[in-house]
Amino acid sequence: MLVSYTEENYLKAIFALSRLYNDQEVSTNQISEHLKNKAASVTDMLKRLADKKLIDYKPYKGVKLTDKGKKTAVKVIRKHRLWEVFLVEKLNFKWDEVHDIAEQLEHIDSDKLIEKLDDFLGKPKADPHGDPIPDASGKFGVQKSVALSDASKRSALIVTGVSDHSTEFLQFLSNSGISLGNQLKIEEYNDYDRSITVKINNKRSLFLSHKAASNILVEIK
Amino acid sequence: MLVSYTEENYLKAIFALSRLYNDQEVSTNQISEHLKNKAASVTDMLKRLADKKLIDYKPYKGVKLTDKGKKTAVKVIRKHRLWEVFLVEKLNFKWDEVHDIAEQLEHIDSDKLIEKLDDFLGKPKADPHGDPIPDASGKFGVQKSVALSDASKRSALIVTGVSDHSTEFLQFLSNSGISLGNQLKIEEYNDYDRSITVKINNKRSLFLSHKAASNILVEIK
DNA sequence: GCCCTATTTTAGTCTAACCTAAAAATTTGT
DNA sequence: ACAAATTTTTAGGTTAGACTAAAATAGGGC
Ligand SMILES: [Mn+2]
Ligand SMILES: [Mn+2]
Ligand SMILES: [Mn+2]
Ligand SMILES: [Mn+2]
């Protein structure tokens, strides 16, 4: 039984939303907003996905992915992130340019291709935005990173990812000279607006708003 | 104006067929057989392609690609062949495994991606089957190869391509120890069934039927 | 318990891309 | 030249996936 391009996008959306809301049922409206489709169209699709046993759907009660649906969604995410690594590492794209292309590439259907691509890239554990890449069996490595805005002062931090994937934010980081792997130290914490000052790689100092800091993920070194 | 996945496949088919029949108008039935769609469906699509100015269509008289249609078709072919090179050269696929995956990859829409892929692969001039790769402006290099069955005896020949792209034929060649770049010499020519015997790289001798020899393309060294 | 509002589903349309069956146009054979 | 065979188009349907408008349901406040 084959899953269409469109169905894959719905499964991915449901997976992301159920993560976001700690594995609760996902509502029609949440999916509708996420995919920018009308709620009536979503209901339509939910019926089709339920027929295919990819989701559990109780009218008015929201949906949950079945194991089969989860497996499909995770595979699409795996493909998306592997292709992003390829685009950045091999083709020299910038990290803010790859998402839209990966949105297309993630639907290419060939198990052999995924595994050969994974080998070619050296079985990467994370994509260019620090998001973990599930392995062939669908398991994600554990991510123990926290938002920079929640990190403690003075300890050495490593930038491991971002939680805002927009071109604007990624370009802002690049322009500010922050990239994955950089070492950060929080130098000042302003109670008034929760803005901070950080030192990058023990060199330059940089001022960051709370909004920016909340979207940078770090691990304690 | 965007060209759909399906429309791209029609343009590619029309391009291939008009090559095959020396730039004559392509008929509805030819397209129908090539794409394994019914003739009525083809007529439907021809109207849509004509509306988009991608083909010139006169009912009952066959179709020709416009410049715009030709440009689109050639770009799809360029992408198909570049991806095939990627799959064989970088991911170690065999030459008989790549066509179906390239059929999907050829529809990925990003000019920047094509050009970066082309650079990454070293701007290859031919795909793994010896088919020429048009450059970014759409120009094909000239192919001066002939069928092995038409080549003259005793001269040193180089295998440059195949004209049958089926898995069966490609695997037959691999099993026989013939690949692109090999040197061949015709040792014997049997008038009875037009079969030949060739020497590969001045070492092994191999018997080939006329059918096989007619699908191997060679250049005189 | 009932009303109000927000959410969700149903009903009815639309388009792209396919199909079958029938009609029309073209080509072929004599 | 004209009938027969072939090719192509038209007419009418289907399905996936979108939409709008209207109806149904659920949940919160009193
Ligand atoms: Mn992405
Ligand atoms: Mn990413
Ligand atoms: Mn191919
Ligand atoms: Mn090829």
Side-chain angles (χ1 to χ4, degrees), chain A residues 80-81 84 98-99 127-131 165:
Chain A
H80 182 102
R81 294 182 180 168
E84 284 191 346
V98 296
H99 183 75
D127 82 4
H129 314 105
D131 294 311
H165 293 70

Side-chain angles (χ1 to χ4, degrees), chain B residues 52-201:
Chain B
K52 291 191 172 187
K53 312 282 183 211
L54 293 162
I55 61 172
D56 287 322
Y57 169 52
K58 294 182 206 72
Y60 296 102
K61 295 295 172 187
V63 295
K64 263 193 144 97
L65 293 177
T66 61
D67 284 350
K68 195 173 148 196
K70 209 173 290 176
K71 225 184 101 189
T72 308
V74 169
K75 193 166 162 182
V76 176
I77 291 166
R78 172 165 162 79
K79 289 189 280 183
H80 183 104
R81 294 181 182 169
L82 284 173
W83 281 116
E84 284 192 346
V85 173
F86 169 72
L87 294 172
V88 169
E89 297 292 316
K90 302 295 182 178
L91 298 195
N92 299 120
F93 275 94
K94 297 194 219 90
W95 70 343
D96 57 291
E97 298 175 315
V98 297
H99 182 77
D100 291 347
I101 301 177
E103 283 293 310
Q104 298 180 61
L105 286 165
E106 72 188 6
H107 301 291
I108 301 292
D109 178 31
S110 163
D111 287 342
K112 199 163 184 177
L113 174 60
I114 313 173
E115 298 325 314
K116 278 180 174 283
L117 181 65
D118 190 33
D119 286 347
F120 179 60
L121 299 172
K123 302 197 178 282
K125 292 278 165 290
D127 83 2
H129 315 105
D131 294 310
I133 299 177
D135 67 21
S137 75
K139 283 196 198 63
F140 285 86
V142 277
Q143 243 194 330
K144 47 194 181 302
S145 53
V146 293
L148 173 59
S149 53
D150 295 334
S152 55
K153 217 170 153 178
R154 287 287 158 201
S155 49
L157 307 166
I158 301 292
V159 180
T160 55
V162 292
S163 44
D164 176 355
H165 295 70
S166 70
T167 306
E168 299 73 46
F169 182 61
L170 296 175
Q171 280 178 0
F172 163 75
L173 288 186
S174 299
N175 294 339
S176 307
I178 292 186
S179 46
L180 292 205
N182 283 175
Q183 195 201 95
L184 298 185
K185 252 186 204 130
I186 299 178
E187 297 188 301
E188 273 187 59
Y189 191 94
N190 306 302
D191 279 332
Y192 171 60
D193 60 359
R194 297 193 289 163
S195 62
I196 59 175
T197 311
V198 293
K199 202 164 197 84
I200 307 176
N201 287 337

